Amino acid sequence: MRLLEDVHAVDKRATRILTLAMDASHTRIPLGRLDVVQRATALGQIDAAWVKGWETPEDWLYPQMQEVLTTWTRLNGPQHLVYRIVGEPWAPRSHALRELLARNGVPFEFVAADTATGQELIRQHSVDVGRLPALIHHDGTVLHDPTGDEVAGSHGIATRPSRTDYDLVVVGAGPAGLAAAVFAASEGLRTLVLESHAIGGQAGTSSMIRNYLGFVRGISGGELAHRAWEQALLLGAEFAFAHPASGVSRHERGVDLHLEGGLTVSSRAAILATGVSYRSLGLAALDRLAGVGVFYGAAGVEAAALTSLPVAVVGGANSAGQTALHLAKYASQVNLLIRGTSLASGMSQYLIDQIKATGNISVRLGTRLVDAEGVVRLEGVVIEETSSRERTRLPLSGLFVMIGAEPHTAWMTGLQRDERGFILTDRDVVRNSATTDRPPLPFETSLPGVFAVGDVRRGSVKRVAGAVGEGSVAVGSVHEYLSLDGR
Ligand SMILES: Cc1cc2nc3c(=O)[nH]c(=O)nc-3n(C[C@H](O)[C@H](O)[C@H](O)COP(=O)(O)OP(=O)(O)OC[C@H]3O[C@@H](n4cnc5c(N)ncnc54)[C@H](O)[C@@H]3O)c2cc1C
């Protein structure tokens, strides 16, 4: 195991497979060594574990090997290039353009303008260096500092709906919106999906989703999202990118969605799946270690893998307190890092009492995290006492950042939302003259015929599987709504 861990210090691109001898019961899951595999996976020491010794490698070994090789090639191998970007590496617009193409799965190469290759491209394509970054299409066309709309247009991606009326408009193409699109289109509804930025939403930013049913070794969020996008397109759903929805209103025949840029689309019903953004601490050192010791959200499956190791939780709300208590059952030491000076300002008393009674939790009030250490995985953090500015290094194997999520609902002014902006649905909706004379359907908001699913909905579980489940099930409510009074 030590060897596999050290390999990454030599070359981070290496894929590390732990091969285990088949046990006496000849199972293809290493049942007898599960604890070793679980721990090594959670600590980022290996990428996969296989049982060796099958008589027919075609049946079990080769498919696994192919999967690993495909993933490696996608990340590291030569690619068919659709675009080359020429620009200044650290310019915010260069970063925005790289991020847009990467998150939408478009193959590209970035070339710094001041390199020999950059200068050659500038000369060859008559790039105006006053308007960098420039996007050079494989056919030679050049776009200077393009908007998302222009990039999508150049890539043949629709940015405007093809018609003005639909049976269903889904807002957001994260897991919840994609699932709704797949189900709605497969069930014969004329479906439009509006996505402001990139397919996959938050899930698209996850390098490896390990808790989605059926993907034993996990799947990258981008890959999962692209499969779902293709599936929805083949089933007949239409997508329009780059024009965020900016208003929703009802009229006699259904719902109007207003888009930035002045467009309006009408539809018989709408599903809002606009998700949330998890707040990050804004430290590059932490972002680099996400998934290899640094986690956003609750501890879940990682907790057992951190047995006897020191960990920390950042946050002062109930979710952070619950996570600290859960981790304390496994970890040697749990540091609860809180910016404020009192636990009571954000946490329920019963949790405070439990935390105080738990010997291996240290509450560090008035502290902020200023740096993280580790090359292959998290090894420690540096915290600063806000009053004295004194800095301390904490050796850590796990860090859970739980400083809240913000829903993308600022524009949904006509909808009932809770104090944090999450959309109220079905039983949570307060019925009044603006709502209907019937109880809301499952996932229906305070606006009849408008449904909300996934992370943006109050009470959702904030997981890919939850979002996919809600998006799929809400289509049943849409059908029920459309059948009411023959709508
Ligand atoms: C880094 C990271 C890793 C994660 N890892 C896991 C994991 O391993 N397992 C797991 O179960 N969960 C994981 N999660 C959580 C999971 O990704 C979310 O629960 C899930 O993506 C929620 O899906 P959603 O469709 O509700 O919302 P989102 O994924 O947030 O998608 C919402 C979409 O709506 C779009 N949108 C927003 N506003 C508008 C608008 N006005 N007009 C048009 N479009 C709009 C956004 O651009 C976005 O694409 C992770 C989250 C993050 C951030």
Side-chain angles (χ1 to χ4, degrees):
M1 194 73 71
R2 184 75 212 171
L3 172 75
L4 288 178
E5 199 179 354
D6 288 349
V7 162
H8 258 198
V10 180
D11 189 344
K12 272 203 207 146
R13 297 171 310 161
T15 302
R16 297 144 315 153
I17 316 285
L18 175 68
T19 53
L20 298 161
M22 186 180 281
D23 66 14
S25 38
H26 281 213
T27 54
R28 56 186 202 181
I29 302 171
L31 293 175
R33 309 289 305 279
L34 267 187
D35 54 338
V36 176
V37 176
Q38 282 167 341
R39 192 178 163 91
T41 306
L43 292 177
Q45 292 168 328
I46 59 169
D47 299 294
W50 299 339
V51 168
K52 57 185 174 186
W54 282 81
E55 275 179 30
T56 50
E58 298 82 358
D59 169 41
W60 180 240
L61 180 67
Y62 296 168
Q64 296 191 93
M65 200 174 277
Q66 182 58 53
E67 206 178 294
V68 166
L69 288 173
T70 305
T71 306
W72 188 92
T73 308
R74 278 215 184 104
L75 291 172
N76 306 301
Q79 291 200 344
H80 168 85
L81 287 181
V82 179
Y83 292 105
R84 273 172 299 176
I85 305 172
V86 183
E88 288 140 10
W90 305 113
R93 283 295 303 146
S94 296
H95 168 74
L97 204 48
R98 284 193 300 254
E99 200 246 5
L100 182 68
L101 294 183
R103 286 209 36 207
N104 282 292
V106 184
F108 72 96
E109 175 186 51
F110 182 84
V111 183
D114 59 2
T115 59
T117 319
Q119 289 297 311
E120 181 57 23
L121 284 171
I122 288 169
R123 196 191 52 74
Q124 259 179 18
H125 297 276
S126 308
V127 170
D128 177 354
V129 289
R131 292 190 295 147
L132 292 178
L135 187 68
I136 306 173
H137 193 252
H138 68 88
D139 68 3
T141 329
V142 179
L143 291 175
H144 288 95
D145 195 11
T147 60
D149 205 348
E150 288 168 333
V151 176
S154 124
H155 199 47
I157 301 281
T159 57
R160 281 158 200 276
S162 66
R163 42 192 301 155
T164 51
D165 63 316
Y166 293 84
D167 292 327
L168 177 67
V169 173
V170 178
V171 186
L178 287 167
V182 164
F183 273 79
S186 71
E187 290 167 15
L189 297 176
R190 282 169 306 165
T191 305
L192 170 72
V193 183
L194 300 169
E195 170 53 52
S196 55
H197 192 61
I199 279 287
Q202 295 167 72
T205 68
S206 174
S207 56
M208 195 53 79
I209 295 170
R210 290 195 183 271
N211 59 350
Y212 192 63
L213 196 71
F215 292 92
V216 184
R217 274 162 290 283
I219 179 165
S220 86
E223 176 64 16
L224 185 68
H226 273 78
R227 289 185 191 191
W229 180 24
E230 192 177 349
Q231 191 177 9
L233 283 170
L234 291 175
L235 287 165
E238 186 184 325
F239 285 73
F241 290 86
H243 291 279
S246 55
V248 55
S249 57
R250 265 201 63 81
H251 54 76
E252 257 177 36
R253 284 156 293 106
V255 183
D256 274 346
L257 261 310
H258 311 281
L259 314 193
E260 274 182 21
L263 283 172
T264 295
V265 273
S266 289
S267 128
R268 294 163 72 202
I271 293 182
L272 306 176
T274 51
V276 303
S277 300
Y278 267 92
R279 283 194 214 118
S280 98
L281 286 163
L283 288 177
L286 280 187
D287 295 344
R288 196 170 42 77
L289 294 165
V292 283
V294 176
F295 303 98
Y296 289 87
V301 73
E302 279 84 32
L306 292 160
T307 299
S308 308
L309 295 169
V311 300
V313 179
V314 187
N318 278 355
S319 53
Q322 281 164 6
T323 299
L325 283 166
H326 179 58
L327 283 163
K329 293 179 199 148
Y330 304 91
S332 58
Q333 181 70 30
V334 182
N335 297 279
L336 187 54
L337 308 177
I338 298 171
R339 236 189 147 135
T341 50
S342 122
L343 262 186
S345 58
M347 206 177 284
S348 303
Q349 192 57 44
Y350 77 96
L351 285 171
I352 298 174
D353 293 342
Q354 283 179 36
I355 285 169
K356 282 186 180 155
T358 307
N360 63 340
I361 299 184
S362 306
V363 179
R364 293 171 180 265
L365 297 170
T367 49
R368 65 186 194 103
L369 208 145
V370 290
D371 203 2
E373 297 167 353
V375 179
V376 177
R377 61 183 167 88
L378 179 75
E379 283 168 11
V381 297
V382 179
I383 56 170
E384 183 181 87
E385 221 174 280
T386 34
S387 56
S388 65
R389 294 257 156 140
E390 194 183 314
R391 292 190 171 194
T392 315
R393 180 179 182 273
L394 288 181
L396 290 183
S397 296
L399 177 78
F400 297 85
V401 182
M402 311 207 58
I403 53 172
E406 281 163 12
H408 299 140
T409 57
W411 54 275
M412 301 175 193
T413 44
L415 250 64
Q416 289 181 16
R417 288 165 291 160
D418 71 8
E419 60 293 346
R420 292 163 63 208
F422 289 91
I423 305 174
L424 305 190
T425 54
D426 45 74
R427 273 176 303 181
D428 288 343
V429 168
V430 181
R431 287 174 67 191
N432 56 36
S433 54
T435 61
T436 54
D437 47 5
R438 59 173 170 78
L441 294 163
F443 301 108
E444 196 170 21
T445 68
S446 57
L447 216 53
V450 176
F451 300 80
V453 292
D455 281 16
V456 76
R457 191 180 71 79
R458 178 159 97 177
S460 64
V461 294
K462 317 283 184 283
R463 286 287 178 267
V464 174
V468 167
E470 291 193 6
S472 322
V473 174
V475 173
S477 291
V478 169
H479 282 300
E480 200 174 333
Y481 167 77
L482 294 179
S483 68
L484 291 172
D485 307 327
R487 269 189 187 91

